Amino acid sequence: MKRELALEFARVTEAAALAAHKWVGRGKKEAADQAAVDAMRTMLNGIKIQGEIVIGEGEIDEAPMLFIGEKVGLESENKELFSKVDIAVDPVEGTRMTAQGQANAIAVLAVGNKGSFLKAPDMYMEKLVVGPEAKGVIDLNKPLMENIDNICKALNKKLNELTIVILDKPRHKTIIKELQDLEVKVYALPDGDVAGSILTSVIDSDVDVLYGIGGAPEGVISAAVIRALGGDMQARLKLRSEVKGVSLENDKISNYEKTRCEEMGLTVGEVLKMDDLVKDDEVIFSATGITGGDLLEGIKRRGNIARTQTLVIRGKSKTIRYINAVHNLDYKPDDIKALVK
């Protein structure tokens, strides 16, 4: 994949974040998500790639979201010369945080060579993520507490020195209490397990582990960036009916999820290792802050001038860049201007 594409993908998440930021604090998470989707699609269709969305907002019959199987990229007579890539997107990770004006909302995408990413339905996924120092010691086939002990040994830390990120959801209530009873430090985030995953592997973070059940799209995106950062991850797909505290026609939806997994050659509950989730190191990851948080600064705007901060990672070179950009929204293309102003 061409190195210069990294900047192009940074522009994609910048546009998505700017579009979503218009809806920060307005209580309309669907509007924020739709604006980010529209901006992301517009920007992707201006890049010289032959791209396919392999992890997105939904299945093909749920358009106009960025759906699984959607083709993106610039239409051109020379299209065959463009890079063939798979794309995993989360236009707004943290729609509820965006709607409520809370911290840690980001716009995210990961790009790999064709065939790089696991193709999975939009369903739940159990995840265990660690940084480079604990690579190779995790095993989701073993109990969580045994994994925690092994991670502590690898990091040469006591239990009360370990920091773990878990989504603050009813399904994790018992686990959070058990860990806190052991004096493990728990950061319980309302949403945002991609950001939480990255915090396990960046130099300026105290986070050692991420564990919990979240979305499969976020899981594949997390795997891409964790592989690029040299960390480790294991995961397994979970049916909605298996997730404590989740309802919404469990049986009907779970049967559909199971059928879709079978069609994709996947087995629900089977442990997926890093090579199953992301097949090679040549990935590009980009995330732009919408609201400020632990990973990135949020958008600051005065009139039609806006400032963004974007994290861009190239797996091939293991280079991490933070791009601070100032945007004059009056000079954006008309289709983007309509979304961000």
Side-chain angles (χ1 to χ4, degrees):
M1 203 177 346
K2 295 179 180 178
R3 181 171 52 187
E4 56 266 30
L5 285 174
L7 181 57
E8 295 289 344
F9 294 129
R11 294 177 64 240
V12 174
T13 58
E14 285 175 349
L18 287 165
H21 184 262
K22 181 179 176 179
W23 297 96
V24 167
R26 298 184 185 275
K28 298 181 178 180
K29 64 180 185 178
E30 291 84 4
D33 198 33
Q34 185 65 67
V37 166
D38 291 342
M40 193 169 271
R41 174 183 282 119
T42 297
M43 295 300 292
L44 285 170
N45 283 331
I47 302 175
K48 293 180 179 179
I49 55 172
Q50 294 185 65
E52 179 181 350
I53 306 297
V54 296
I55 290 288
E57 295 274 294
E59 304 285 352
I60 193 166
D61 57 348
E62 295 177 4
M65 310 305 274
L66 277 160
F67 56 81
I68 297 170
E70 180 175 354
K71 301 297 192 294
V72 294
L74 183 69
E75 289 296 331
S76 169
E77 293 179 356
N78 299 318
K79 192 172 182 178
E80 289 302 317
L81 300 177
F82 298 168
S83 298
K84 295 181 180 180
V85 297
D86 284 346
I87 304 172
V89 300
D90 195 355
V92 179
E93 194 203 22
T95 53
R96 184 166 64 88
M97 285 116 75
T98 301
Q100 300 302 323
Q102 297 172 341
N104 286 312
I106 57 177
V108 180
L109 66 73
V111 185
N113 292 317
K114 191 71 175 173
S116 294
F117 298 154
L118 173 79
K119 293 186 178 181
D122 187 354
M123 59 189 294
Y124 280 102
M125 177 183 276
E126 183 182 13
K127 309 157 194 176
L128 180 60
V129 183
V130 293
E133 296 84 358
K135 185 175 181 178
V137 306
I138 58 173
D139 185 354
L140 263 183
N141 286 308
K142 297 178 180 179
L144 176 61
M145 293 308 170
E146 185 174 342
N147 275 287
I148 294 295
D149 287 339
N150 290 334
I151 293 166
C152 284
K153 291 174 184 175
L155 300 179
N156 195 27
K157 287 187 174 185
K158 298 176 182 178
L159 276 174
N160 63 3
E161 297 174 324
L162 196 72
T163 301
I164 183 168
V165 167
I166 301 181
L167 293 185
D168 189 10
K169 304 292 185 182
R171 57 185 175 269
H172 298 142
K173 184 177 180 181
T174 300
I175 294 170
I176 290 172
K177 185 178 185 308
E178 288 175 355
L179 289 168
Q180 290 175 333
D181 287 345
L182 292 171
E183 298 187 350
V184 174
K185 290 183 285 186
V186 176
Y187 288 171
L189 300 180
D191 289 293
D193 53 359
V194 173
S197 295
I198 296 170
L199 291 173
T200 67
S201 300
V202 291
I203 193 169
D204 50 355
S205 169
D206 296 326
V207 174
D208 301 302
V209 189
L210 176 135
Y211 174 76
I213 299 172
E218 293 85 353
V220 176
I221 294 171
S222 294
V225 65
I226 292 303
R227 177 153 191 155
L229 290 169
D232 200 4
M233 175 175 173
Q234 291 192 7
R236 55 186 160 202
L237 296 168
K238 307 277 286 186
L239 299 177
R240 185 174 294 260
S241 57
E242 298 176 310
V243 180
K244 185 178 179 180
V246 177
S247 54
L248 301 175
E249 300 180 346
N250 279 346
D251 291 340
K252 181 180 178 181
I253 294 175
S254 293
N255 287 336
Y256 173 76
E257 291 171 342
K258 187 176 181 180
T259 299
R260 291 292 291 125
C261 284
E262 290 172 353
E263 291 172 350
M264 294 180 172
L266 301 171
T267 302
V268 175
E270 182 179 41
V271 172
L272 301 166
K273 298 182 180 180
M274 181 61 82
D275 285 344
D276 301 313
L277 297 163
V278 180
K279 297 188 185 307
D280 64 53
D281 291 333
E282 195 173 350
V283 298
I284 294 173
F285 171 87
S286 180
T288 301
I290 301 170
T291 59
D294 299 294
L295 183 65
L296 288 163
E297 294 180 10
I299 291 173
K300 295 178 175 60
R301 180 170 172 176
R302 178 176 293 179
N304 288 327
I305 304 298
R307 189 178 75 185
T308 59
Q309 185 176 61
T310 300
L311 171 65
V312 181
I313 301 170
R314 285 188 67 232
K316 187 174 182 179
S317 63
K318 307 298 183 190
T319 303
I320 302 170
R321 289 184 173 89
Y322 288 89
I323 301 175
N324 293 302
V326 177
H327 307 260
N328 189 323
L329 304 183
D330 287 329
Y331 288 85
K332 296 293 182 184
D334 290 342
D335 43 6
I336 295 296
K337 189 187 302 183
L339 294 168
V340 303
K341 288 188 68 174

